[in-house]
Amino acid sequence: DARAILDGPDDAATQYFRRTAGGEIEAALKPIIRAELEQVGALTALDQMLERYRTLPLVPDVSGDLTEHATAEAMDGLFLYLAREEAAIRENPTARTTELLQEVFGP
């Protein structure tokens, strides 16, 4: 894995991290996101809107899980940011600010 990450694309480490730790990160984020959505009233507002929507004639059934959606978007954003940072570290020697990064990618 280390050689594939080092020799891989600009986001190879990010891809590996998402593949190996993404599930754990998502599981940790989901209850936090749900609590925040509840706190701001988003879940209640969505439920109320869907109740009204379902009273309309001839509309298709709509369902969804706001917590799942928000968690998926948060995961995508997190790993997009990590991929950008990884690319910067690979491309720009001044972004290699730790000894480990300098050892792996060179000074």
Side-chain angles (χ1 to χ4, degrees):
D1 287 336
R3 178 55 57 193
I5 290 170
L6 187 59
D7 295 337
D10 284 350
D11 67 341
T14 301
Q15 290 177 29
Y16 174 80
F17 186 52
R18 187 167 195 168
R19 190 172 58 251
T20 60
E24 291 177 47
I25 294 168
E26 184 175 350
L29 279 178
K30 194 176 293 187
I32 296 166
I33 290 171
R34 180 167 186 79
E36 292 300 316
L37 290 171
E38 285 176 352
Q39 183 178 357
V40 299
L43 297 178
T44 302
L46 178 61
D47 288 344
Q48 290 172 350
M49 182 195 68
L50 288 175
E51 282 178 28
R52 289 183 190 150
Y53 173 82
R54 290 184 183 118
T55 65
L56 299 172
L58 305 172
V59 295
D61 186 30
V62 174
S63 63
D65 185 328
L66 185 56
T67 302
E68 289 290 330
H69 177 72
T71 303
E73 292 295 317
M75 293 290 291
D76 288 345
L78 171 66
F79 286 104
L80 175 66
Y81 177 78
L82 286 176
R84 287 180 182 164
E85 289 298 308
E86 179 184 355
I89 289 167
R90 289 175 182 268
E91 294 171 12
N92 182 359
T94 61
R96 301 170 191 162
T97 57
T98 67
E99 286 182 32
L100 178 60
L101 290 174
Q102 291 171 4
E103 183 178 326
V104 172
F105 295 106

